[in-house]
Amino acid sequence: MSLSDPILMSRILTGLTLFVHINLAAIGVGLPVMMALAEWRGIRTGDPHYILLARRWARGFVISVAVGVVTGTAIGLQLSLLWPNFMRIAGRAIALPMFMETFAFFIEAIFLGIYLYTWDRFKNKYLHLMLLIPTAIGSTSSAYFITSMNAFMNMPQGFTLKDGIFTDVKPLVAMFNPATPTKVSHVIASSYTVSACLLVAIAAFSLLKGRGHVYFKKALKLAVVSSFVFAVATAVIGDFSGKFLAKYQPEKLAAAEWHFDTREQAPLIYGGILDKNNEVKYAIKIPYALSILAGSSPNTKVIGLNEFPKENIPPLSIHYMFDLKVTNGVMLILIPFIYMLRKRIPGMRGAVPKWLLVLLVALAPLAFVAVELGWFFAEIGRQPWIVRGYMRVSEGATTSPNVSWMLLLFVLLYLVLCVSCLKVLGKMFRNKSVEEELQELYPGGERTS
Amino acid sequence: MSYEIIGITVLWTFLYGYLIVASIDFGAGFFSFYSVLTGHKNKVHWVIQRYLSPVWEVTNVFLIFFEIGLIGFFPDSAYYYGTALLVPGSIVIILLAVRAVYYAYNTYGISNNGNLVYMALYGATGLLIPAALSTVLALSEGGIIEERAGHVVLKWAIFFSNPYTWSVILLALVSVLYISAMFLSYYAHKAGDKTAFEILRGYALIWSGPTILASVFAFFQINRQNPEHFQNMLHSAWMFIASLVCYLGAVYLVWRKRHLGWSFILVMLQFAFAWYGYGRSHLPYVLYKYVNIYQNFTNESMATALLAAFLAGFLLLVPSLVLLMRLFLFNARYIRGNSPKRGS
């Protein structure tokens, strides 16, 4: 590892920016949906608690959007600054989704701005709520477009490579490649999940701290049920992604599962370590599970790593990322499930005990870690390619010798941004308690239903 | 018109949009901070905040739109500009980041009084960003970015010792303050805020002189930097004269305190004439002698797809922007502050 190697440094810097950005991007995609849910319930039932919920979520959301816009701008520009050769060549095939993403972002930015400043401005309360529809469509479709570009890098098609230049480009074919459906839906579903989990954690944390107001209980219920639904959807789509990998990107799945010999009835390996001879040790083996994951039948033949030339195999460490991500995903379904079943569990009598609240708080870190690991797995699993099968990472990077300095600068920037963001968010909500805000909003005393 | 011309016109128009919106934004940040320092805070601060709050996110998108569009239509520009601009580009990203984030913290996060450090950051970056961004215009004239043995290099010594670089920076600085003050005078006038209007009108008149001087200075520096471009500019001389006429009209109206809406439209026309005149005479080069809109254009199918996407996006974008403006810029009740100011 050398500090003056622009390729390595570019990889680290891009990875770092995305590492920060995807947290905020996931919240950006998911939270408008949650805000809409709360506001809709509030208007429909006339319950001011839900309206306040939407308001408080929206206020926190603005801060995360501000930082998200910034890191998004950074990655948008860094693509050209750090990977000029990649953009020069691949830009001929994939400029379309990137271009469309900026439009989606425009729409989101405009309507979010309007939403935030028009509480109480319309007589018909549904009008205000409707502003969230273009906001959510904007954020979700921007996730759609940008992920389809990433899908292209995994599953390039819609062009011919001639003398190092993409010719005969069919932009729509490139955009709607086989990786797009699973990748995009997985990203969107997991963004919704992360956002719901974050809100679960906030509500559960307040209850743990002894703030017993019914507002928090309602918040908790709404968020937990949503997170359960979204997490199940994410898992189902994750299963489709496994089948996709088996068919189109078998080396990634094989590397994730340490699956060396092509065979039927392949077992799924959980945990463990690899010794020098690539023998798996101390792992839990689930018979047939990999074949089932790959093709819904224990007799599916799963292609092994030995079929691929060594220089085209992704790092085998992605196994751990895959395992951990799936583990987290399972927890994201289990914990909300326990909460939802609590009335039937003997001894609980419908109350939410402390240990369950602690578990619910844990949903947020679990979900964020799962998202990060999922991206690590997807991106590192594509190595050594930047455009799989066509362009290696080393061919796409900048030749500028200054990347390490920029890396240092950005590390500092992101540290400052993240720390200050958390501080401001914390302060914002401590400054005004829910009770005070309800007083301000509904001075005549609250009417709850 | 050929695809190449349509493509570059679309991009140039978005950059023009950014020039106007961002100038208002950048200048407003500076004035907002300046008003605190000079004790005028309570007189102009709220007018500025009320304008900025709903639009701050939108500004950034114009810039990204241009960048992505440029690479989409002219992928080779990614190679030259991308490699050469790593350091200045990264610095711009950092400045933009600091600015946007601390604005949001100050507006939504902290108590109503605001935080002087945040405002200082906001004001200072408001001047540094346009200065940094404008240097790309200097680079595009050629002679500073070079390709040697398959490597793109930016010649820093030439870059900094070049009077044209400095003339562009100077022009960016003063026009940001000028455009912003002209707009805010109009906005304050509409809000019926006499004190704020008087102060902002003062700023507008003060900055109008340097703006025209800097323009003339930059105009003649192009001759030294790139005589070919300068000759082309002379062919479109009428555009620059029209720009000057609009400038005179705009300043006259502000001075007489009349028709401030028209005055700002004249400011927009002033910059539009100069901007399109400059852009038109720069053609066919995006980067002098290296990136040519005809030779370095993307393939035809991508070009058609991008233009189709642009058209569809534009049909969504324009009504949304109109809605934003009607709700906030041209809504008398909102401007006067009768409507609730915040999302809280």
Side-chain angles (χ1 to χ4, degrees):
Chain A
M1 177 168 158
S2 149
L3 283 175
S4 59
D5 174 14
I7 300 163
L8 181 67
M9 291 297 123
S10 297
R11 281 187 65 192
I12 298 178
L13 180 46
T14 311
L16 175 72
T17 303
L18 284 171
F19 175 81
V20 179
H21 181 62
I22 55 174
N23 292 316
L24 300 151
I27 299 174
V29 171
L31 255 179
V33 177
M34 296 300 296
M35 279 149 48
L37 260 177
E39 198 182 346
W40 176 68
R41 271 206 84 158
I43 298 174
R44 217 188 43 153
T45 60
D47 184 340
H49 290 151
Y50 286 105
I51 301 282
L52 180 62
L53 202 55
R55 280 190 181 229
R56 282 174 73 99
W57 285 349
R59 213 172 330 137
F61 182 59
V62 187
I63 301 290
S64 76
V65 165
V67 187
V69 167
V70 157
T71 50
T73 307
I75 192 63
L77 293 167
Q78 277 176 352
L79 273 178
S80 308
L81 296 174
L82 297 172
W83 307 96
N85 294 310
F86 162 69
M87 289 300 273
R88 177 192 208 175
I89 292 167
R92 291 171 189 274
I94 47 165
L96 182 65
M98 289 187 76
F99 196 64
M100 291 170 86
E101 199 262 353
T102 54
F103 272 115
F105 180 29
F106 241 129
I107 300 294
E108 181 196 347
I110 290 172
F111 282 94
L112 182 64
I114 300 178
Y115 177 82
L116 290 172
Y117 287 85
T118 51
W119 289 94
D120 308 327
R121 195 153 157 193
F122 304 114
K123 281 219 177 79
N124 182 349
K125 285 181 175 164
Y126 283 101
L127 266 180
H128 183 252
L129 173 62
M130 298 231 285
L131 291 168
L132 276 178
I133 297 172
T135 311
I137 292 179
S139 60
T140 302
S141 48
S142 105
Y144 179 90
F145 292 127
I146 213 64
T147 314
S148 83
M149 170 189 163
N150 182 275
F152 171 87
M153 292 160 76
N154 282 284
M155 205 54 241
Q157 65 172 32
F159 61 88
T160 25
L161 192 66
K162 213 187 248 170
D163 309 324
I165 287 183
F166 288 179
T167 48
D168 297 330
V169 175
K170 298 177 192 73
L172 289 176
V173 179
M175 204 170 133
F176 295 99
N177 57 73
T180 303
T182 43
K183 210 168 211 125
V184 168
S185 47
H186 198 60
V187 162
I188 293 173
S190 55
S191 300
Y192 291 175
T193 314
V194 159
S195 309
C197 288
L198 176 68
L199 301 175
V200 170
I202 295 172
F205 183 75
S206 302
L207 285 170
L208 257 186
K209 279 239 165 161
R211 296 184 206 127
H213 199 283
V214 63
Y215 165 91
F216 296 109
K217 290 180 185 153
K218 288 178 185 171
L220 187 71
K221 190 171 175 196
L222 180 69
V224 178
V225 174
S226 315
S227 71
F228 177 76
V229 173
F230 295 143
V232 169
T234 312
V236 171
I237 299 164
D239 181 60
F240 293 149
S241 309
K243 294 179 176 33
F244 162 81
L245 285 182
K247 191 165 171 197
Y248 292 100
Q249 235 178 325
E251 77 278 12
K252 195 191 249 182
L253 185 68
E257 280 307 318
W258 291 346
H259 179 67
F260 292 94
D261 299 311
T262 302
R263 59 174 282 199
E264 294 170 0
Q265 304 177 352
L268 191 92
I269 291 168
Y270 185 83
I273 52 165
L274 269 186
D275 69 6
K276 277 179 212 144
N277 310 319
N278 280 345
E279 291 292 324
V280 182
K281 278 187 182 162
Y282 314 118
I284 303 169
K285 280 192 187 175
I286 310 167
Y288 312 119
L290 184 59
S291 283
I292 295 174
L293 177 71
S296 306
S297 142
N299 292 323
T300 307
K301 187 184 264 182
V302 185
I303 300 171
L305 278 176
N306 294 340
E307 314 267 327
F308 300 94
K310 268 222 165 62
E311 67 273 16
N312 288 353
I313 289 179
L316 294 176
S317 59
I318 61 172
H319 174 68
Y320 298 110
M321 298 168 196
F322 184 75
D323 280 1
L324 268 175
K325 151 185 125 140
V326 173
T327 314
N328 282 12
V330 170
M331 305 284 275
L332 296 183
I333 296 176
L334 266 183
I335 299 173
F337 194 61
I338 299 175
Y339 168 89
M340 285 156 64
L341 275 187
R342 71 189 186 284
K343 284 180 185 153
R344 307 216 174 154
I345 297 176
M348 270 214 222
R349 281 190 233 99
V352 188
K354 240 186 182 162
W355 61 266
L356 186 53
L357 283 177
V358 173
L359 281 181
L360 288 169
V361 171
L363 276 186
L366 283 172
F368 280 107
V369 169
V371 163
E372 293 287 358
L373 286 171
W375 272 111
F376 276 32
F377 168 66
E379 292 303 293
I380 298 174
R382 193 183 60 230
Q383 299 300 317
W385 303 105
I386 191 164
V387 181
R388 180 176 169 269
Y390 290 94
M391 189 182 199
R392 284 176 184 273
V393 169
S394 53
E395 296 166 281
T398 180
T399 45
S400 170
N402 299 318
V403 190
S404 46
W405 288 107
M406 297 303 112
L407 175 61
L408 190 71
L409 267 181
F410 277 98
V411 168
L412 275 175
L413 173 73
Y414 295 141
L415 272 177
V416 171
L417 287 190
C418 293
V419 171
S420 58
C421 177
L422 292 175
K423 251 177 93 174
V424 168
L425 279 175
K427 202 169 165 187
M428 234 164 100
F429 288 103
R430 270 194 304 272
N431 271 353
K432 243 187 207 171
S433 74
V434 170
E435 288 81 358
E436 275 175 81
E437 272 192 66
L438 276 171
Q439 263 310 313
E440 266 174 39
L441 276 176
Y442 305 96
E446 45 182 287
R447 182 185 66 83
T448 53
S449 48
Chain B
M1 258 205 292
S2 62
Y3 283 159
E4 289 88 345
I5 295 288
I6 300 177
I8 194 75
T9 309
V10 164
L11 295 176
W12 202 242
T13 304
F14 265 83
L15 210 50
Y16 171 72
Y18 183 69
L19 171 94
I20 299 292
V21 190
S23 291
I24 297 176
D25 187 5
F26 292 142
F30 178 77
F31 289 133
S32 190
F33 175 60
Y34 185 74
S35 68
V36 175
L37 282 190
T38 50
H40 290 308
K41 179 182 172 182
N42 295 329
K43 294 178 192 153
V44 298
H45 183 68
W46 293 117
V47 169
I48 294 178
Q49 283 294 317
R50 217 168 298 137
Y51 162 75
L52 281 180
S53 304
V55 298
W56 63 271
E57 284 177 276
V58 180
T59 316
N60 257 343
V61 195
F62 278 95
L63 182 65
I64 291 294
F65 188 97
F66 171 75
E67 189 241 353
I68 300 292
L70 182 69
I71 290 152
F73 283 108
F74 311 102
D76 289 336
S77 51
Y79 170 68
Y80 289 98
Y81 282 121
T83 315
L85 288 175
L86 176 69
V87 176
S90 300
I91 291 172
V92 169
I93 298 174
I94 289 172
L95 291 172
L96 281 172
V98 168
R99 179 180 164 80
V101 165
Y102 286 94
Y103 174 73
Y105 291 171
N106 200 28
T107 314
Y108 304 95
I110 314 291
S111 58
N112 280 350
N113 293 323
N115 177 319
L116 195 63
V117 179
Y118 288 1
M119 292 194 72
L121 280 172
Y122 193 61
T125 49
L127 291 186
L128 290 172
I129 296 168
L133 283 175
S134 61
T135 54
V136 178
L137 291 180
L139 296 181
S140 77
E141 296 292 338
I144 300 169
I145 292 178
E146 263 193 10
E147 193 176 18
R148 274 191 229 133
H151 281 254
V152 176
V153 275
L154 194 145
K155 294 192 284 186
W156 286 102
I158 296 188
F159 176 75
F160 279 116
S161 62
N162 190 346
Y164 183 59
T165 309
W166 295 104
S167 74
V168 174
I169 293 178
L170 188 69
L171 179 57
L173 282 180
V174 292
S175 24
V176 158
L177 296 173
Y178 166 73
I179 294 175
S180 186
M182 292 295 264
F183 176 81
L184 291 170
S185 317
Y186 155 69
Y187 197 74
H189 188 72
K190 242 192 124 176
D193 190 337
K194 281 216 176 78
T195 357
F197 171 68
E198 282 304 330
I199 296 170
L200 291 164
R201 173 175 170 267
Y203 293 160
L205 292 176
I206 289 170
W207 288 107
S208 63
T211 301
I212 206 68
L213 289 178
S215 312
V216 173
F217 179 56
F219 187 75
F220 287 106
Q221 284 303 327
I222 291 180
N223 192 19
R224 284 185 49 181
Q225 177 75 17
N226 185 341
E228 200 181 321
H229 184 187
F230 188 74
Q231 282 308 313
N232 288 339
M233 282 170 78
L234 292 185
H235 291 309
S236 322
W238 66 272
M239 298 183 87
F240 299 98
I241 295 167
S243 170
L244 183 67
V245 171
C246 292
Y247 163 80
L248 292 173
V251 175
Y252 176 77
L253 288 178
V254 168
W255 183 56
R256 298 293 306 268
K257 305 184 192 176
R258 276 190 204 153
H259 307 297
L260 290 154
W262 281 106
S263 161
F264 190 69
I265 288 174
L266 284 173
V267 171
M268 283 174 59
L269 284 174
Q270 172 199 342
F271 280 88
F273 278 121
W275 185 247
Y276 285 99
Y278 170 86
R280 183 180 166 192
S281 51
H282 199 288
L283 291 179
Y285 297 106
V286 172
L287 169 60
Y288 188 67
K289 291 290 187 205
Y290 285 110
V291 183
N292 177 314
I293 64 163
Y294 296 104
Q295 283 150 26
N296 305 85
F297 197 53
T298 186
N299 48 71
E300 204 182 305
S301 50
M302 182 52 86
T304 1
L306 287 178
L307 287 173
F310 172 75
L311 199 68
F314 199 67
L315 290 178
L316 270 177
L317 190 60
V318 169
S320 315
L321 279 173
V322 168
L323 181 66
L324 185 74
M325 288 199 270
R326 286 187 56 134
L327 280 172
F328 299 108
L329 289 192
F330 302 111
N331 184 301
R333 229 165 65 89
Y334 173 78
I335 299 178
R336 294 205 189 96
N338 296 338
S339 292
K341 285 198 303 284
R342 289 202 185 183
S344 50

